[in-house]
C-alpha cells in the first residue's frame, strides 16, 4: 500500500487494537441486548429498582475523571487492558445467583471497566493513524463498535431462540450462557492488547474546563443528560415490563438499531453539514417530543399488534436521533480556540450529563411507580421541548463558517 493510501502507521499495533476493540464491541453488544431482560426476569427489579441501579451504574462515569487522573502515569493501552479486565470480572460475577444489592455492585464493576475503556479507545485510534488520517481511524472505530453491537445482538438472539426452542433450557441457564460468551470475548480482547508494538507512554488526558462562552453548551448537556437517561433506563423497561417483549426480540431490535446507525450516523453527519448544527439541534428534539409521547401513551392510542409495531419503530427512531449529538460537538468546535479547549470542554460536558443522569434515573423510577409510565415520558417530552427552546437561542452560524 502506498504512503498516500495508508491509513495506519506501520508498526503501530493498529491490527491488535482493532481486533481488541472489535471483540470488545461484540461483548458489549451481548450485554446491552440482554441486560434489561435479565434485570426484569431473573433479578425481579421493578421500575424503582431499575432507577436506583442506574444511579449506581452511572457513578463510575463521574468517578472515571478522577480515576484517570490517578492513573496518569499509565499508558492508554494499559488502561484499556485494565478496563477490559475489570469488566471481565464483572460479567463473571453475574453468573452467581444473588440479591439485588450484589447485582448492583457487580454492574458497577462492569460499568467502571466500560467507562475506563471509553475515553482511551478514541485516543489510541488517533495514535495508530497516519498524520492527517485520524478522522478515518475514528470512523473505523465507530464502525467496529456498531458492527460489534450487531453481532452481539445476533448472538444473544440465537442463544435464546435455539436454547428455548430446541434444547428447552431455562432462562437462568440461557443468561449464564451469554455471560460465559462475553467472558470469552473479553478474554480475547485483553490478550489482543499484549502487542509488542503497543506504545508504553501515557497521553495527555482531558481536564474539567469551564468557560463562560460555553454556558449554553453546559445547559444543553443538562437537558440532554436527563432525557438520555430516561430513554436508556426506562424505554427498554417499558417494552419488557409493560408490553412483554422477550429477550430475543429485544436483542433483534438492538441489532437492527446498530445496523441502521452504521449508515444512519454518516447520513446525520452529512445532514448536519447541509442544514447546520443549530437546525439539527432544534428539529432533533422536536421529533424526540413525539417519541417520548409514544413511549408513554402508545398503549392508549393503539391496540393489539399495532402497538407493538409502533413501539419497535419508535425504538428505532430513538436510536437514530441519538446520533444527532454530533451537532452539539460541532457547536463547541466553532466556539473553541484550539484542540485542547475542544477536548476539555467536551469532556466536561460528558461529566455534566453523567451528574444529571445519576439524579434523573431514581427520580424517573419514582415518577413511574407513583404516577405511571405516561407521566414519566410526559416529563421527558417537557425536557425535549425545553431543549428545543434553548437550542433556538443559539445564534445562527455565519454563512460558510460551519
Amino acid at each position: 500500500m502506498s504512503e498516500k493510501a495508508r491509513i495506519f502507521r506501520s508498526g503501530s499495533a493498529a491490527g491488535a487494537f482493532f481486533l481488541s476493540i472489535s471483540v470488545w464491541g461484540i461483548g458489549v453488544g451481548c450485554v446491552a441486548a440482554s441486560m434489561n431482560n435479565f434485570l426484569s426476569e431473573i433479578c425481579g427489579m421493578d421500575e424503582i429498582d431499575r432507577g436506583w441501579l442506574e444511579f449506581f451504574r452511572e457513578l463510575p462515569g463521574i468517578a472515571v475523571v478522577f480515576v484517570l487522573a490517578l492513573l496518569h502515569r499509565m499508558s492508554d493501552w494499559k488502561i484499556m487492558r485494565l478496563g477490559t479486565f475489570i469488566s471481565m470480572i464483572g460479567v463473571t460475577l453475574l453468573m452467581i445467583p444473588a440479591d439485588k444489592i450484589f447485582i448492583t455492585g457487580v454492574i458497577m464493576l462492569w460499568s467502571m471497566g466500560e467507562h475506563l475503556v471509553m475515553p482511551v479507545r478514541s485516543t489510541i485510534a488517533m495514535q495508530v493513524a497516519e498524520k492527517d488520517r485520524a478522522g478515518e481511524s475514528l470512523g473505523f472505530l465507530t464502525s467496529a463498535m456498531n458492527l460489534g453491537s450487531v453481532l452481539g445482538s445476533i448472538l444473544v438472539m440465537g442463544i435464546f431462540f435455539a436454547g428455548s426452542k430446541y434444547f428447552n433450557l431455562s432462562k437462568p441457564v440461557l443468561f449464564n450462557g451469554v455471560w460465559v460468551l462475553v467472558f470469552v470475548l473479553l478474554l480475547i480482547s485483553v490478550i489482543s492488547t499484549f502487542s509488542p508494538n503497543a506504545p508504553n507512554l501515557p497521553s495527555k488526558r482531558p481536564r474539567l474546563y469551564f468557560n463562560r462562552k460555553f454556558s449554553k453548551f453546559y445547559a444543553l448537556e443538562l437537558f440532554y443528560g436527563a432525557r438520555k437517561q430516561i430513554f436508556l433506563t426506562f424505554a427498554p423497561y417499558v417494552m419488557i415490563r409493560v408490553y412483554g417483549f422477550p429477550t430475543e426480540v429485544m436483542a433483534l431490535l438492538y441489532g437492527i438499531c446498530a445496523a441502521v446507525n452504521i449508515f444512519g450516523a454518516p447520513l446525520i453527519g452529512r445532514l448536519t453539514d447541509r442544514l447546520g448544527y443549530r437546525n439539527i439541534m432544534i428539529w432533533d428534539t422536536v421529533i424526540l417530543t413525539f417519541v417520548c409521547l409514544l413511549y408513554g401513551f402508545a398503549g392508549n392510542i393503539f391496540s393489539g399488534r399495532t402497538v407493538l409495531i409502533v413501539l419497535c419503530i419508535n425504538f428505532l427512531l430513538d436510536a437514530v436521533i441519538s446520533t444527532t449529538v454530533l451537532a452539539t460537538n460541532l457547536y463547541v468546535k466553532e466556539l473553541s480556540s484550539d484542540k485542547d479547549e475542544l477536548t476539555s470542554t467536551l469532556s466536561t460536558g460528558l461529566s455534566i450529563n453523567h451528574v444529571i443522569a445519576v439524579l434523573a434515573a431514581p427520580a424517573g423510577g419514582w415518577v413511574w411507580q407513583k404516577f405511571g409510565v405516561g407521566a414519566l415520558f410526559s416529563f421527558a417530552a417537557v425536557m425535549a421541548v425545553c431543549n428545543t427552546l434553548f437550542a433556538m437561542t443559539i445564534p445562527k452560524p455565519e454563512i460558510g463558517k460551519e
Side-chain angles (χ1 to χ4, degrees):
M1 185 180 288
S2 68
E3 289 293 324
K4 188 175 180 180
R6 195 167 62 195
I7 297 173
F8 306 110
R9 292 188 298 107
S10 178
S12 65
F17 167 69
F18 279 100
L19 172 60
S20 177
I21 214 68
S22 297
V23 178
W24 159 266
I26 298 172
V28 171
C30 288
V31 172
S34 54
M35 182 58 75
N36 282 293
N37 287 85
F38 172 74
L39 296 173
S40 177
E41 297 168 17
I42 305 300
C43 304
M45 291 192 178
D46 60 17
E47 51 272 21
I48 284 282
D49 298 326
R50 185 67 184 87
W52 278 110
L53 170 67
E54 202 62 20
F55 172 88
F56 290 105
R57 193 191 72 82
E58 286 288 4
L59 286 179
I62 299 172
V64 74
V65 175
F66 307 102
V67 174
L68 286 174
L70 291 173
L71 301 176
H72 67 280
R73 294 182 182 277
M74 188 177 285
S75 73
D76 296 313
W77 281 79
K78 286 183 179 178
I79 289 175
M80 184 172 74
R81 187 183 305 149
L82 175 64
T84 308
F85 184 73
I86 290 172
S87 289
M88 191 168 70
I89 295 172
V91 80
T92 304
L93 294 175
L94 284 175
M95 290 183 265
I96 301 173
D99 60 18
K100 296 173 185 177
I101 295 174
F102 180 83
I103 291 296
T104 299
V106 169
I107 290 174
M108 280 185 72
L109 193 64
W110 164 271
S111 180
M112 176 52 77
E114 195 174 17
H115 279 92
L116 280 172
V117 173
M118 280 179 190
V120 297
R121 69 187 179 207
S122 297
T123 304
I124 296 172
M126 291 185 282
Q127 287 173 353
V128 301
E130 287 282 0
K131 188 179 179 182
D132 300 326
R133 308 300 289 271
E136 288 179 77
S137 184
L138 287 170
F140 273 101
L141 174 64
T142 303
S143 297
M145 292 300 297
N146 279 321
L147 184 59
S149 294
V150 173
L151 295 176
S153 299
I154 291 171
L155 287 169
V156 170
M157 185 176 62
I159 287 170
F160 273 82
F161 180 77
S164 57
K165 185 170 184 179
Y166 298 110
F167 301 100
N168 200 28
L169 298 175
S170 66
K171 284 186 177 179
V173 172
L174 292 171
F175 279 111
N176 281 343
V178 173
W179 308 146
V180 169
L181 174 61
V182 175
F183 172 84
V184 172
L185 290 167
L186 297 194
L187 181 61
I188 295 170
S189 182
V190 168
I191 293 170
S192 301
T193 63
F194 287 94
S195 170
N197 294 324
N200 196 33
L201 295 173
S203 65
K204 185 177 179 181
R205 305 267 157 73
R207 68 190 193 282
L208 289 177
Y209 177 79
F210 293 93
N211 189 305
R212 193 173 178 179
K213 67 181 176 181
F214 297 113
S215 56
K216 289 187 177 181
F217 165 68
Y218 301 141
L220 286 168
E221 284 298 299
L222 286 173
F223 289 126
Y224 177 72
R227 52 114 166 166
K228 176 200 75 171
Q229 200 58 48
I230 289 172
F231 282 109
L232 284 178
T233 307
F234 299 111
Y237 237 50
V238 168
M239 299 173 76
I240 293 164
R241 293 186 71 85
V242 177
Y243 297 99
F245 279 67
T247 307
E248 53 269 34
V249 175
M250 290 303 298
L252 176 62
L253 280 174
Y254 274 104
I256 291 172
C257 289
V260 167
N261 272 342
I262 291 174
F263 307 99
L267 180 62
I268 293 292
R270 286 195 292 272
L271 202 60
T272 304
D273 288 337
R274 177 169 294 186
L275 301 180
Y277 59 74
R278 182 179 180 272
N279 288 327
I280 293 297
M281 290 162 72
I282 292 169
W283 287 105
D284 141 59
T285 45
V286 169
I287 297 169
L288 186 69
T289 303
F290 294 99
V291 170
C292 294
L293 295 174
L294 280 173
Y295 275 128
F297 301 102
N300 300 329
I301 302 171
F302 306 99
S303 59
R305 286 180 174 269
T306 307
V307 69
L308 303 181
I309 294 170
V310 167
L311 283 169
C312 288
I313 295 171
N314 208 43
F315 194 77
L316 177 60
L317 187 59
D318 181 11
V320 171
I321 61 175
S322 69
T323 62
T324 57
V325 68
L326 61 86
T328 310
N329 294 349
L330 288 174
Y331 169 55
V332 175
K333 183 176 183 291
E334 182 174 304
L335 293 179
S336 298
S337 304
D338 54 45
K339 185 179 177 182
D340 285 344
E341 187 175 51
L342 170 64
T343 304
S344 296
T345 302
L346 291 176
S347 178
T348 303
L350 191 62
S351 297
I352 289 170
N353 85 43
H354 269 93
V355 170
I356 196 66
V358 161
L359 301 174
W366 178 80
V367 169
W368 181 351
Q369 191 172 76
K370 190 80 173 176
F371 303 105
V373 71
L376 171 63
F377 282 97
S378 293
F379 172 72
V382 170
M383 294 299 291
V385 170
C386 290
N387 202 332
T388 303
L389 295 174
F390 203 85
M392 291 174 73
T393 68
I394 294 172
K396 292 182 180 180
E398 296 174 22
I399 300 296
K401 188 167 183 181
E402 285 188 86

